[in-house]
Amino acid sequence: MSLIHWFEIPAANFDRAVAFYQQVLQLQLKQEDCMTDHIAVFPDSSGCIMASPRLPAGGQGCQIYLDGGPDLAATLQRVKTAGGKVLLPISTLEDGNGDIALIEDSEGNSIGLHVEP
C-alpha cells in the first residue's frame, strides 16, 4: 500500500506551468477537468499541476492526498477529535476514482485524504 495517493502542484498561470514542467521533465502532460478545476496529469504518476482557487500558487505548497483508510467518515471524526478541522467534507470524484476530503492538520497544513473505489 502506498501512503501517498495523489499530489497537486498549484499554478497561478496554468499554461505557463504546464509548459515549464513539460520542458524541464521532457514529457507530455494530459490536460483534463477535475470537478471544477483544470489539471495536467503527470504520466505514470499519481499527481498533477492544478489551477484552482482552493490551492493558491506562490509558496503555499503542494496538496498531498494520504490514504483515508477503510472508513473515511471515521477518519474525519478522528481529525476533529485530534484538534484538526475538516475543510472539505467527503466528496465523490466524478471520474469514479473514489472519494476525497480535505483536512487542516494541527499545524495549519491542508492535507487531502483519498479512498479508492
Side-chain angles (χ1 to χ4, degrees):
M1 171 182 82
S2 174
L3 187 59
I4 296 177
H5 277 213
W6 186 254
F7 65 87
E8 295 168 347
I9 299 172
N13 181 317
F14 184 77
D15 292 333
R16 179 180 63 205
V18 170
F20 173 84
Y21 281 97
Q22 288 183 148
Q23 179 180 351
V24 169
L25 301 175
Q26 298 185 336
L27 49 77
Q28 191 67 32
L29 301 176
K30 180 183 175 194
Q31 295 187 38
E32 57 188 66
D33 291 321
C34 179
M35 298 182 357
T36 60
D37 302 316
H38 197 61
I39 65 174
V41 180
F42 290 94
D44 302 321
S45 177
S46 295
C48 71
I49 296 168
M50 174 179 274
S52 174
R54 71 172 175 80
L55 188 62
Q60 298 299 314
C62 298
Q63 185 71 58
I64 295 175
Y65 286 79
L66 302 176
D67 185 343
D71 183 349
L72 189 51
T75 301
L76 292 180
Q77 187 57 46
R78 290 192 300 273
V79 166
K80 295 175 189 176
T81 303
K85 298 177 186 174
V86 175
L87 302 175
L88 175 72
I90 297 172
S91 301
T92 299
L93 297 171
E94 296 169 358
D95 57 7
N97 281 324
D99 296 328
I100 62 167
L102 294 177
I103 64 166
E104 182 178 293
D105 70 8
S106 61
E107 308 309 306
N109 297 307
S110 174
I111 302 293
L113 300 174
H114 176 253
V115 175
E116 293 176 333

